Amino acid sequence: ARVLPASDPAVASAPKATGILPSSPPKRGSVPFSIRYSLPISALTQQTVDGKSKVIFGVASVVLNSDGRAVDKHASRIAITVNTDVVRLHPDAPIAFDQLLNLKKNDEYLYLAVWDMASGRLGTLQVPVKVTKAK
């Protein structure tokens, strides 16, 4: 996962993601951040749903403040249709998706999780963040 302020030029120049998880409108004193998740398609279980091959997984982020307390949380269920021919040729091809969050000055860490809803496989990551003063 890559975590950057949404205003960072690297966010605008990044290749298009497979999906974008919406954020709530920014609140006063918050700074928009973009989280780019990237994982190999082989890490997820393919399922046939309505005649289409899909991967279905969950994504969650928990915002921790300087005291280590959870001050915000977001979770989403994602279903992405995959091209089985491409997956057969490139089983470790990455899928990328973005999550947009509004962070505050006292927020210091993000605890991120992705889980495969078919297999129950879970991966987590804790990322330190530096939130500059909101403009």
Side-chain angles (χ1 to χ4, degrees):
R2 179 194 72 190
V3 180
L4 292 172
S7 60
D8 191 296
V11 172
S13 64
K16 185 176 179 190
T18 305
I20 298 177
L21 304 175
S23 70
S24 57
K27 295 178 182 171
R28 185 181 176 126
S30 68
V31 177
F33 269 72
S34 173
I35 304 168
R36 167 64 57 101
Y37 294 85
S38 178
L39 57 142
I41 192 75
S42 61
L44 300 167
T45 305
Q46 292 181 51
Q47 305 174 57
T48 302
V49 179
D50 298 329
K52 296 179 182 176
S53 184
K54 295 185 180 222
V55 290
I56 301 170
F57 56 99
V59 177
S61 59
V62 178
V63 180
L64 304 171
N65 68 11
S66 58
D67 296 326
R69 270 186 291 140
V71 293
D72 202 1
K73 60 188 177 300
H74 305 271
S76 297
R77 178 182 178 272
I78 300 173
I80 297 176
T81 302
V82 296
N83 181 323
T84 54
D85 294 331
V86 171
V87 172
R88 203 172 8 263
L89 290 171
H90 307 285
D92 290 325
I95 57 170
F97 54 96
D98 294 334
Q99 184 177 31
L100 306 174
L101 297 177
N102 298 305
L103 302 178
K104 296 180 186 119
K105 180 88 171 129
N106 203 28
D107 296 340
E108 290 199 3
Y109 290 94
L110 292 175
Y111 187 72
L112 308 174
V114 176
W115 66 97
D116 183 328
M117 294 185 163
S119 71
R121 186 175 177 191
L122 171 74
T124 63
L125 181 66
Q126 186 171 329
V127 181
V129 292
K130 176 85 172 148
V131 181
T132 58
K133 190 173 183 176
K135 295 178 181 177

